[in-house]
Amino acid sequence: MTYRVAMGGFLHETNTFAPTRATYDDFVQGGGYMPMAHGNAMFSACRGINLGISGAVDYGGEREWQMLPLLWAGAIPSAHVTKQAFEDIVEALVTRLSAALPLDGVFLDLHGAMVCEHLDDGEGELLARVRAVVGPSVPVMACLDLHGNITARMVDMADMLVGFRTYPHVDMAETGRRAAEGLDYLMTSGAQPTKAFRRLDYLIPIPWQSTDLEPAASLYARLAELEGESVISASLFMGFPAADINDCGPSLVAYGPDASAAVEQLADEFARAEASFAGQVYSADKGVSEAQRLVRSGAVGPVVLADTQDNPGAGGDSNTTGMLRALIEAEVTDAALGLLVDPDAALEAHTAGEGASLAFTLGGQSGVVGDSPYRVIAKVETLSDGRLTARGPYYGGASLALGPSACLRIGGVRVVVTTHKAQLADREMFRFVGIEPETTEILVVKSSTHFRADFTSIASHILICLAPGPMAFSPSDLPWKHLMPGMRLGPLGDAFHPVN
């Protein structure tokens, strides 16, 4: 039998404390994701890259499904998705879905942490509208990000939710394939597996959620160990700890006859791991000083400093200047920083031309206390149109369009200035303006964890640094109002209680 399967995606990770909202145009451009694609263009755009939809399309092709394309749209994390963007994209997706009937199944590539101007639960609303079209008997499968803030409505509206198991997310396509396999099982068997869902009770700073580190590595390894005939699927969602909604936080979801027992076992292991979600962090100045010390002591390979509080993969705009100031004031002799998103500076560099030296006012538009524009004299070392292929494990061959870009040199510091933002998680994001990351002594990346996928293999040391930025390292530093009462604001942290 040839199954008719509608396939699409709509992704956004929302930091409700961030400075910039996600508009329709942001989804058209795509940021670190592929650009918006409608109909059959979605299939050609997603081939061979690391996205959930890519793995699902590959699997569907192997199984000879009749795949009916809806649309796929993703925007880089930011503040709320605008009402107009959400409604326009969902209307287009649901219209195509209605036209595709009758269906045997629906596959959706989602995130799990979308908050809109008018809705706290973007995915729950989308899934409800999909369910209203296809009815109760058509299996609806969703592939989700490890950082999903999962809601009861999402669990109710989908037959199955399947989450990533790596952070850096090098398994996005693999997870899409696993989810598609699950959808195939549901369509073939007609089964409606038992669901189990449990919210967990403490938030975790995102750098310590990395599955390259313990305890996350062991917790995620347990998921595959528990799966079998009695547990069809199990997912641990770390949550995205910068969404001021009641449903923010980690959770567990499992399916199958023993789903409840699996969730309880995993919840116990998560509780026992609490104290292990920890590590060392540095101020901007102390991080740069420690990097210089490591270089002087003979470090083999670059020292990588993560500017975690301006991570555009968590809602930052990639334009704060704290780490740049620290590098220059410390008179670092061989360093590179990226990406600094400043369209005006990029335009000025292109107007001046390669080899020109001139005054720039860089970044500092975040509005965050402690951040401000930085006036420098810089040489325009290299210019680029901003087009590159990010071939590392995270982006997985995705084509990025960063707009007019430049490498500016300020003494021993080179800065990658771009027009559009994307998380620096690939070495090509230095190379496209002539910087060889492997031979640079100190690298500053505006990222929290995804950079590890392509930089761990060359780094002598990795330091997490806290310069002023919109993505607070510690959830306890955020001005919460709507978080679930009793949710603890960090491992071994205080519980949240709303102020009346």
Side-chain angles (χ1 to χ4, degrees), residues 50-408:
N50 184 34
L51 288 173
I53 191 69
S54 306
V57 167
D58 286 347
Y59 180 84
E62 294 168 12
R63 297 292 291 172
E64 299 184 345
W65 290 351
Q66 183 181 354
M67 294 183 285
L68 304 163
L70 305 175
L71 64 81
W72 193 99
I76 196 164
S78 68
H80 305 70
V81 177
T82 64
K83 179 179 180 180
Q84 181 176 356
F86 180 85
E87 295 297 340
D88 287 353
I89 292 169
V90 171
E91 181 181 2
L93 187 150
V94 170
T95 298
R96 285 182 176 272
L97 181 68
S98 298
L101 296 174
L103 293 166
D104 298 297
V106 178
F107 177 92
L108 294 174
D109 186 13
L110 307 177
H111 185 283
M114 181 190 295
V115 183
C116 307
E117 289 177 330
H118 61 311
L119 298 165
D120 281 354
D121 181 10
E123 287 87 358
E125 179 66 18
L126 170 58
L127 286 165
R129 296 189 195 183
V130 167
R131 181 61 73 192
V133 171
V134 302
S137 61
V138 175
V140 175
M141 169 67 73
C143 169
L144 297 173
D145 195 290
L146 173 151
H147 293 113
N149 290 321
I150 308 305
T151 68
R153 192 182 193 201
M154 292 165 60
V155 175
D156 289 344
M157 290 295 110
D159 290 272
M160 197 175 292
L161 306 174
V162 175
F164 304 162
R165 291 179 176 172
T166 63
Y167 181 40
H169 302 327
V170 296
D171 69 331
M172 290 189 283
E174 178 185 331
T175 303
R177 184 181 183 87
R178 279 196 295 115
E181 289 173 351
L183 178 59
D184 196 58
Y185 165 77
L186 295 178
M187 293 188 297
T188 302
S189 67
Q192 293 183 319
T194 301
K195 304 174 183 180
F197 170 53
R198 177 167 170 177
R199 185 164 309 288
L200 304 170
D201 61 0
Y202 63 90
L203 303 179
I204 306 166
I206 57 174
W208 307 149
Q209 295 181 9
S210 174
T211 55
D212 285 358
L213 309 173
E214 292 293 352
S218 293
L219 288 170
Y220 278 90
R222 289 288 292 133
L223 298 176
E225 294 171 4
L226 286 171
E227 288 180 343
E229 290 186 8
S230 59
V231 180
I232 300 166
S233 173
S235 295
L236 166 60
F237 297 95
M238 287 287 188
F240 182 58
D244 193 12
I245 59 173
N246 184 264
D247 292 299
C248 178
S251 62
L252 291 159
V253 184
Y255 301 88
D258 290 345
S260 294
V263 161
E264 291 306 309
Q265 183 176 342
L266 288 165
D268 288 343
E269 294 180 20
F270 187 84
R272 290 195 297 271
E274 183 171 3
S276 299
F277 283 108
Q280 185 170 8
V281 296
Y282 299 82
S283 67
D285 292 341
K286 290 183 177 178
V288 170
S289 178
E290 175 63 6
Q292 289 177 301
R293 186 193 67 79
L294 291 168
V295 169
R296 288 194 302 269
S297 69
V300 178
V303 180
V304 179
L305 281 61
D307 188 2
T308 184
Q309 296 193 140
D310 193 31
N311 172 17
D317 281 338
S318 200
N319 62 9
T320 63
T321 59
M323 291 304 300
L324 177 60
R325 291 173 188 271
L327 291 170
I328 293 173
E329 290 171 6
E331 299 181 348
V332 171
T333 58
D334 183 18
L337 180 149
L339 302 175
L340 185 70
V341 178
D342 191 325
D344 291 340
L347 178 59
E348 290 169 5
H350 276 255
T351 300
E354 291 184 356
S357 293
L358 63 155
F360 290 91
T361 301
L362 296 177
Q365 300 94 6
S366 69
V368 173
V369 174
D371 181 47
S372 61
Y374 192 31
R375 187 75 171 172
V376 298
I377 303 297
K379 178 180 179 180
V380 181
E381 199 163 78
T382 310
L383 297 173
S384 169
D385 65 3
R387 296 186 180 278
L388 65 120
T389 301
R391 304 185 186 280
Y394 171 66
Y395 284 112
S399 297
L400 303 184
L402 302 176
S405 303
C407 174
L408 304 183

Side-chain angles (χ1 to χ4, degrees), residues 302-306 335-336 430 435 437-438 440-445 455 458:
V303 180
V304 179
L305 281 61
F430 282 119
I435 297 170
E438 295 85 352
T440 303
E441 291 180 347
I442 298 173
L443 298 171
V444 175
V445 295
F455 286 84
I458 66 168

Side-chain angles (χ1 to χ4, degrees), residues 39-58:
N40 286 321
M42 181 187 80
F43 291 146
S44 56
C46 78
R47 295 283 186 185
I49 60 177
N50 184 34
L51 288 173
I53 191 69
S54 306
V57 167
D58 286 347

